[in-house]
């Protein structure tokens, strides 16, 4: 059983008494997920819902044409794969471990009983889902109305806010991320992202390498994102 102290302060368990949290944790199993393996697959039966304890996971959606698109990243402490809470008959996307990760998994069959006993669990989960939906709506508006430079700047700033790590040269996105991932998240091409990041590197705004991006001057990138630079 997972030590309650490791997860008591996570948003998923806000408002739950220690005894209630222990009861919920007893139903979970801990799963180690190796890098590049799937926690679950798009279209699969929603057998479980998950909490990421350690590592990073990306949600990937496959289009009817067979293209894979990175929808979002999940960081430690977040709940994901909650198809059962939304009444979905299948997982709407795949969840792939970006690095070696650890997840807590509950059987979907336990969801109705758990939320009946602990309504805060449902409330907290739906707040998380609502926040993601708002983020998705923001991205749709950006893609419809903003030039690509602003979209890329917004995406990088969101990723740093979600999982930024201060280093000597700036703030690093603290998981492997490629230029192709950025292109997918901003509705543009790899060529365009590469051209813009290369220009920003020359200006001292970012550093980028193989699956690595560092924001050297987040303030100036914020200006680009808001159209004031």
């Amino acid at each position: 059983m997972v030590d309650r102290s490791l997860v008591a302060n996570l948003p998923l368990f806000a408002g739950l008494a220690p005894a209630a949290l222990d009861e919920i944790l007893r139903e979970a199993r801990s799963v180690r997920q190796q890098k590049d393996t799937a926690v679950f697959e798009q279209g699969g039966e929603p057998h479980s819902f998950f909490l990421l304890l350690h590592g990073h996971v990306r949600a990937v959606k496959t289009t009817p044409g067979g293209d894979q698109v990175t929808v979002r990243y999940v960081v430690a402490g977040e709940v994901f794969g909650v198809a059962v809470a939304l009444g979905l008959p299948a997982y709407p996307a795949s969840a792939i471990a970006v690095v070696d990760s650890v997840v807590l998994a509950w059987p979907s069959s336990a969801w109705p009983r758990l939320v009946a006993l602990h309504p805060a669990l449902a409330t907290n989960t739906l707040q998380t889902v609502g926040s993601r939906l708002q983020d998705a709506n923001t991205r749709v508006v950006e893609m419809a109305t903003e030039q690509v430079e602003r979209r890329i700047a917004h995406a990088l700033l969101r990723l740093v806010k979600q999982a930024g790590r201060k280093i000597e040269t700036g703030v690093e996105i603290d998981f492997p991320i490629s230029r192709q991932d950025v292109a997918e998240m901003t509705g543009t091409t790899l060529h365009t992202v590469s051209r813009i990041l290369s220009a920003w590197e020359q200006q001292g705004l970012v550093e980028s390498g193989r699956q690595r991006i560092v924001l050297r001057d987040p303030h100036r990138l914020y200006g680009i994102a808001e159209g004031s630079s």
Side-chain angles (χ1 to χ4, degrees), residues 18 32 67 86 99 109 115 137 140 155 174 182 189 191 194-195:
R32 294 189 178 276
D67 296 321
L86 303 177
V99 295
S109 58
V115 297
N137 288 340
V140 169
D174 194 23
V182 176
T189 64
H191 173 76
S194 296
R195 175 177 55 81

Side-chain angles (χ1 to χ4, degrees), residues 28-43:
R29 60 189 177 92
S30 177
V31 181
R32 294 189 178 276
Q33 202 74 38
Q34 291 186 333
K35 178 181 177 180
D36 295 331
T37 61
V39 182
F40 54 81
E41 298 274 5
Q42 178 177 331

Side-chain angles (χ1 to χ4, degrees), residues 76 84 99 116 133 136:
V84 61
V99 295
L133 183 59

Side-chain angles (χ1 to χ4, degrees), residues 3-151:
D3 185 343
R4 183 206 316 145
S5 66
L6 297 176
V7 299
N9 294 322
L10 297 181
L12 178 62
F13 302 125
L16 288 169
L21 180 51
D22 285 342
E23 185 178 345
I24 292 170
L25 291 175
R26 275 195 292 271
E27 305 247 6
R29 60 189 177 92
S30 177
V31 181
R32 294 189 178 276
Q33 202 74 38
Q34 291 186 333
K35 178 181 177 180
D36 295 331
T37 61
V39 182
F40 54 81
E41 298 274 5
Q42 178 177 331
E45 179 186 356
H47 51 79
S48 305
F49 61 98
F50 305 87
L51 175 72
L52 184 60
L53 283 183
H54 173 75
H56 296 281
V57 168
R58 66 188 179 114
V60 179
K61 194 165 183 69
T62 302
T63 69
D67 296 321
Q68 288 196 332
V69 178
T70 298
V71 178
R72 69 180 310 276
Y73 284 86
V74 179
V75 298
E78 286 192 76
V79 63
F80 66 106
V82 289
V84 61
L86 303 177
L88 300 178
Y91 290 118
S94 299
I96 312 296
V98 179
V99 295
D100 290 347
S101 303
V102 180
V103 301
L104 280 183
W106 286 264
S108 292
S109 58
W111 175 261
R113 176 169 43 80
L114 288 175
V115 297
L117 291 171
H118 313 291
L121 186 65
T123 300
N124 297 338
T125 299
L126 293 178
Q127 284 179 345
T128 297
V129 172
S131 176
R132 289 176 187 166
L133 183 59
Q134 185 176 19
D135 179 65
N137 288 340
T138 298
R139 287 171 56 190
V140 169
V141 171
E142 287 174 1
M143 281 190 271
T145 63
E146 293 184 354
Q147 293 182 342
V148 66
E149 277 201 350
R150 291 182 63 187
R151 300 204 305 266

